[in-house]
Amino acid sequence: MLLETDIETGFRWGELTELRAEDWHSTERTFKVSRAVIKVRPNLDPDGLSFRVKPYPKGKKPLEVKVSEPFAKKVDRYLEITGKFGDDLLFTYEPPEEPAKPIPHPDDLGLTPPNAAGRQYRHGTTTAYQLAKCRCEFCRGAYAQYRASRRAGGLDTHDSKQPAKKALNPEGHVPGWWFRRHIWKLMQKALSRASLSPCPVT
């Protein structure tokens, strides 16, 4: 539905991802755009957000785009099925869940090669990371978990390295990178096959 809406309206990413149910006027078969999303850097945003909504267009009347009757019926049906209304975003993005990796027990990982003192340590432990200088994924994981637990307990506050803010997207706006990869590129391929001019980068 997102791709079809983009093809039907020609909206840019910032306009499309901020479309809300209330922006659709069924009787007029029209989208009225009065806001757009802009990408911001989370480490510079006071709230750690990755998107900000701004009035659009500046100082002008809302942008109105009328769609075909068949597509208008699709929009009505889409809103009916999804139950979206009011200020609900028309399209949202949910990051895919990464499958949890099974963490083997240190006893099953074997020993590190002998260090300078001829000693060996079990993989997947902070001891192997520090004394055997092992940098396998299991030893690095054990050390990272150890450091995280110390920071959570208020220790290691002398560390001058400040962790970067995690990008927040509380409403689930469709990210620009996802739009370019999954929507814009598909449109370019379709236009190329139809021997039409490519779309400008949004």
Side-chain angles (χ1 to χ4, degrees), residues 107-183:
D107 291 345
D108 300 328
L109 296 174
L111 301 175
T112 63
N115 62 6
R119 295 178 179 174
Q120 294 178 282
Y121 304 90
R122 292 199 177 277
H123 283 292
T125 63
T126 55
T127 307
Y129 182 92
Q130 293 176 310
L131 299 182
K133 307 299 182 185
C134 180
R135 296 299 182 264
C136 73
E137 63 173 308
F138 304 109
C139 292
R140 285 188 287 110
Y143 189 71
Q145 188 176 18
Y146 163 73
R147 291 298 304 274
S149 65
R150 286 182 61 85
R151 286 193 295 270
L155 304 174
D156 293 342
T157 54
H158 63 279
D159 193 347
S160 60
K161 293 183 179 180
Q162 296 295 326
K165 285 186 178 180
K166 185 178 180 180
L168 297 179
N169 182 11
E171 288 195 275
H173 285 93
V174 176
W177 66 265
W178 191 95
F179 177 83
R180 288 189 296 273
R181 184 179 301 173
H182 297 279
I183 302 299

Side-chain angles (χ1 to χ4, degrees), residues 14-195:
E15 302 159 350
L16 192 65
T17 192
E18 176 53 21
L19 276 182
R20 298 178 185 266
E22 63 189 7
D23 296 327
W24 169 244
H25 299 265
S26 181
T27 55
E28 303 171 25
R29 305 202 320 264
T30 301
F31 283 109
K32 295 184 180 180
V33 180
S34 58
R35 302 166 312 281
V37 160
I38 58 172
K39 181 78 171 67
V40 296
R41 295 178 62 181
N43 60 325
L44 299 180
D45 186 85
D47 299 320
L49 298 176
S50 53
F51 301 99
R52 283 287 179 182
V53 178
K54 67 173 185 177
Y56 177 86
K58 292 182 179 179
K60 298 180 181 179
K61 293 182 179 180
L63 174 66
E64 298 185 10
V65 176
K66 192 168 186 176
V67 301
S68 64
E69 186 173 348
F71 185 73
K73 292 180 179 179
K74 280 190 174 184
V75 177
D76 289 336
R77 181 61 176 160
Y78 173 76
L79 292 175
E80 180 184 349
I81 293 174
T82 59
K84 294 178 181 290
F85 68 97
D87 64 351
D88 290 341
L89 285 173
L90 211 59
F91 309 108
T92 54
Y93 170 78
E94 294 184 8
E97 293 185 4
E98 295 184 3
K101 288 185 177 180
I103 302 176
H105 192 276
D107 291 345
D108 300 328
L109 296 174
L111 301 175
T112 63
N115 62 6
R119 295 178 179 174
Q120 294 178 282
Y121 304 90
R122 292 199 177 277
H123 283 292
T125 63
T126 55
T127 307
Y129 182 92
Q130 293 176 310
L131 299 182
K133 307 299 182 185
C134 180
R135 296 299 182 264
C136 73
E137 63 173 308
F138 304 109
C139 292
R140 285 188 287 110
Y143 189 71
Q145 188 176 18
Y146 163 73
R147 291 298 304 274
S149 65
R150 286 182 61 85
R151 286 193 295 270
L155 304 174
D156 293 342
T157 54
H158 63 279
D159 193 347
S160 60
K161 293 183 179 180
Q162 296 295 326
K165 285 186 178 180
K166 185 178 180 180
L168 297 179
N169 182 11
E171 288 195 275
H173 285 93
V174 176
W177 66 265
W178 191 95
F179 177 83
R180 288 189 296 273
R181 184 179 301 173
H182 297 279
I183 302 299
W184 187 79
K185 284 189 175 181
L186 287 177
M187 291 180 63
Q188 302 308 303
K189 290 180 180 179
L191 290 171
S192 177
R193 289 174 182 173
S195 300

